Amino acid sequence: MALGIIATTPLQEMLEENNIKYDASNVISTSSLRTLHKALVSAHGEKQAETLLEAALKGSKLNITAAKTAQEQTSTPDVMSKRREYLKKKGDERAYSKMVSNLPTPSAYNPDDTMRSAKYITSVAANMIIAPISFGVFLYSFGGGVFGEGNKVIVGVLGGVAMLFVEMLLFVIRSNTLIDYAGKAEKNKRRS
């Protein structure tokens, strides 16, 4: 609700003399009246200002108008459409956040993990290549006395193949142990 006064001619003249603006419908707001009162007090003193203002207000009528609602003040289609878009985006963001809230967050890429796995793979590969060759050479060198000189090559090759199977068996056991350990670590991480 907006409170105002329908201006009389003396009141209009007084406002114009003091350069106080009012709207074209001759309705003067209470803030304009306060401004006029301050101007009159500074020019004429308190008592004379009240007398002058009282004389100018005689015959005027109160005007009460309903204040504009927030929607009427911002009823331009552009503002409303922007607001609608903003609220739609916020609603979509909220729905998306709710939808993905239960998904686990991916762990950050750690180059150290890659380096560790590369070192592990390299060491296992070197071990699977070097161990059978070295064991074959060992049996070739020292197996001649036990198995006879003619069988040195066969003993060396068979020893290398046997060592290759041993290394593969050790690799499988080591891999299963690591997988079991990783599974237990994941379960413990979920519990805490």
Side-chain angles (χ1 to χ4, degrees):
M1 300 282 261
L3 182 63
I5 295 177
I6 299 174
T8 58
T9 307
L11 186 57
Q12 287 175 351
E13 290 171 358
M14 195 177 289
L15 287 167
E16 288 169 4
E17 286 172 8
N18 290 291
N19 293 324
I20 299 172
K21 295 180 182 177
Y22 57 95
D23 64 359
S25 63
N26 292 337
V27 177
I28 300 165
S29 66
T30 53
S31 61
S32 296
L33 282 176
R34 280 190 210 105
T35 308
L36 177 63
H37 182 260
K38 287 178 186 176
L40 289 174
V41 166
S42 65
H44 302 287
E46 183 73 34
K47 288 215 180 236
Q48 191 174 1
E50 286 181 12
T51 308
L52 289 170
L53 196 55
E54 189 177 317
L57 287 172
K58 277 190 181 173
S60 61
K61 297 178 182 175
L62 278 179
N63 182 31
I64 301 174
T65 56
K68 289 184 178 179
T69 62
Q71 186 177 9
E72 289 173 341
Q73 292 173 354
T74 60
S75 63
T76 60
D78 188 39
V79 173
M80 295 301 282
S81 64
K82 284 181 182 177
R83 179 73 176 156
R84 221 176 281 117
E85 283 180 38
Y86 171 77
L87 291 174
K88 183 172 178 4
K89 284 180 185 177
K90 282 294 186 185
D92 291 346
E93 286 176 17
R94 215 175 298 115
Y96 179 76
S97 296
K98 185 177 179 183
M99 182 175 62
V100 297
S101 64
N102 293 335
L103 296 177
T105 56
S107 59
Y109 170 72
N110 190 357
D112 291 339
D113 293 342
T114 306
M115 288 303 294
R116 268 188 250 135
S117 65
K119 287 179 184 176
Y120 172 73
I121 291 169
T122 305
S123 69
V124 167
N127 199 23
M128 291 184 97
I129 293 170
I130 293 172
I133 292 173
S134 63
F135 192 67
V137 169
F138 174 76
L139 286 180
Y140 175 79
S141 301
F142 298 109
V146 176
F147 299 108
E149 282 298 316
N151 296 332
K152 281 170 64 170
V153 174
I154 294 172
V155 170
V157 170
L158 289 177
V161 171
M163 182 54 76
L164 182 64
F165 282 114
V166 169
E167 284 296 325
M168 286 184 357
L169 182 66
L170 290 173
F171 174 74
V172 170
I173 292 170
R174 196 178 313 136
S175 296
N176 283 340
T177 305
L178 288 174
I179 290 170
D180 290 343
Y181 176 75
K184 288 177 184 175
E186 184 68 28
K187 284 180 185 176
N188 289 339
K189 190 183 272 187
R190 277 191 236 143
R191 286 182 192 160
S192 52

